[in-house]
Amino acid sequence: MSRVAVPALEDRATLGIGMMLAAWLFFSMIDTSVKWLVLAGLPALQLAFMRYVGHFVISTWLVARGGMDVERFKTDRLGLVLFRAYLLTSSTALNFIALIYLPLTVTASIMFTSPILVCLLGWPLLGERAGPWRIFGILLGFVGVLVVMRPFGTEFHWAMLLSLNNALAMALYSILTRKLSGVVSTEIMQFYMGLFGTVVLLPTAIWTWTNPTTTLDWVLLVLLGVFGWAGHELLTRAHRFATANTLMPYAYFFLLFLSISSYLIWGHIPDAATLIGAAIIIGSGLLIWVRTRKRAVLRTPPGV
């Protein structure tokens, strides 16, 4: 077991919500920066590597502050921690590739099927059965995805399938984060995430490496890892202070943040189908959230 202390869970919902909002702001800064850099000609897998190598350096320093004792880097949940890192690394790489071809608002809209998939996967993975209303919410969410993707129209792009894979990976990542919070320290989860992403993506980064041509591009390239570490640090810690059901609705601010940056930088305004599909997806996610909270209240004993 790691010697890094695992903080106990606390009931401080306001703090958890604030951390969640800040986390999604950092994530929007990653996607906006990546979109800028891929349009400048930098390879997507190089950017994915830089996102993790910076994360790795920061997280290693934080764990090693108390000494470079090997015991500090150990965890008895190593398998789950590494699988969690794999889910995020694969979704990051594929998302960065998707950003070459798709607007930020499209990738974000499809990604927000993740809370719906969490509900769908809750039965086989967590034993949480979905009632009729939540099943309706799941189906409604997939209708929203079809509206955004338009799979049988000329607007469909194969990169949308990468974003759909990202949503599935993020759903599993969310479930694992919830299971590991309060059991494995944030620092250890962050360390292995950075280590895994750095090692796996290093060969592709060497093969595809392209030097940025401007100072701004260099700054954004270096900051990718900082944004990634900060976002996941806040996201993981937020689950210490509030339940996943409390935090979930605030994830939709990610779409708002990306819409603002996309408009300010590229003047991009989402088309009607993207807006309608995003509204359906968000509505279905909120429906699932409301039903989940209602069931949780009904299960709570009087006086608790």
Side-chain angles (χ1 to χ4, degrees), residues 24 107-116 167 251-255 281:
W24 286 107
T107 58
S109 297
I110 297 173
M111 192 277 288
F112 273 118
T113 57
S114 180
I116 302 166
Y252 292 117
F253 275 80
F254 179 61
L255 184 55
I281 292 169

Side-chain angles (χ1 to χ4, degrees), residues 4 6 22 38 41 53 58 61 112 157 165 168 198 212 216-217 225 247 260 291 298-299:
V4 179
V6 181
V38 294
V53 72
I58 296 171
W61 175 75
F112 273 118
H157 194 286
N165 172 83
L168 177 59
T198 299
L216 175 60
D217 291 352
L247 297 173
I260 293 171
R291 297 302 300 181
L298 291 175
R299 288 196 299 266

Side-chain angles (χ1 to χ4, degrees), residues 75-85 176:
T75 172
D76 55 2
R77 300 288 196 278
L78 183 60
L80 288 178
V81 169
L82 289 177
F83 183 56
R84 177 179 179 271
L176 279 179

Side-chain angles (χ1 to χ4, degrees), residues 194-252:
L195 174 64
F196 186 92
T198 299
V199 171
V200 169
L201 293 170
L202 177 59
T204 61
I206 294 174
W207 183 262
T208 63
W209 187 269
T210 302
N211 284 328
T213 57
T214 70
T215 301
L216 175 60
D217 291 352
W218 272 111
V219 170
L220 292 177
L221 185 64
V222 172
L223 285 178
L224 289 177
V226 178
F227 294 156
W229 173 83
H232 284 282
E233 181 78 6
L234 290 165
L235 180 71
T236 304
R237 289 185 181 277
H239 284 80
R240 281 183 48 218
F241 301 111
T243 64
N245 288 333
T246 299
L247 297 173
M248 191 277 286
Y250 297 93
Y252 292 117

Side-chain angles (χ1 to χ4, degrees), residues 79-257:
L80 288 178
V81 169
L82 289 177
F83 183 56
R84 177 179 179 271
Y86 158 76
L87 290 170
L88 192 66
T89 301
S90 62
S91 67
T92 298
L94 294 179
N95 183 51
F96 285 9
I97 294 172
L99 285 170
I100 299 173
Y101 307 100
L102 303 174
L104 292 171
T105 49
V106 171
T107 58
S109 297
I110 297 173
M111 192 277 288
F112 273 118
T113 57
S114 180
I116 302 166
L117 292 171
V118 169
C119 180
L120 182 64
L121 296 171
W123 185 0
L125 296 181
L126 300 174
E128 299 175 354
R129 289 178 177 268
W133 277 104
R134 291 205 289 176
I135 291 175
F136 173 73
I138 293 169
L139 296 176
L140 185 63
F142 285 111
V143 169
V145 172
L146 293 177
V147 172
V148 173
M149 294 179 64
R150 288 157 277 184
F152 305 110
T154 56
E155 299 85 357
F156 175 76
H157 194 286
W158 60 265
M160 292 179 178
L161 298 177
L162 301 183
S163 294
L164 199 57
N165 172 83
N166 181 43
L168 177 59
M170 288 303 295
L172 293 170
Y173 172 85
S174 177
I175 290 172
L176 279 179
T177 298
R178 184 169 66 185
K179 291 178 70 70
L180 293 171
S181 292
V183 178
V184 179
S185 72
T186 303
E187 289 84 358
I188 290 298
M189 285 193 278
Q190 291 276 53
F191 168 76
Y192 281 105
M193 185 187 300
L195 174 64
F196 186 92
T198 299
V199 171
V200 169
L201 293 170
L202 177 59
T204 61
I206 294 174
W207 183 262
T208 63
W209 187 269
T210 302
N211 284 328
T213 57
T214 70
T215 301
L216 175 60
D217 291 352
W218 272 111
V219 170
L220 292 177
L221 185 64
V222 172
L223 285 178
L224 289 177
V226 178
F227 294 156
W229 173 83
H232 284 282
E233 181 78 6
L234 290 165
L235 180 71
T236 304
R237 289 185 181 277
H239 284 80
R240 281 183 48 218
F241 301 111
T243 64
N245 288 333
T246 299
L247 297 173
M248 191 277 286
Y250 297 93
Y252 292 117
F253 275 80
F254 179 61
L255 184 55
L256 174 62
F257 295 147

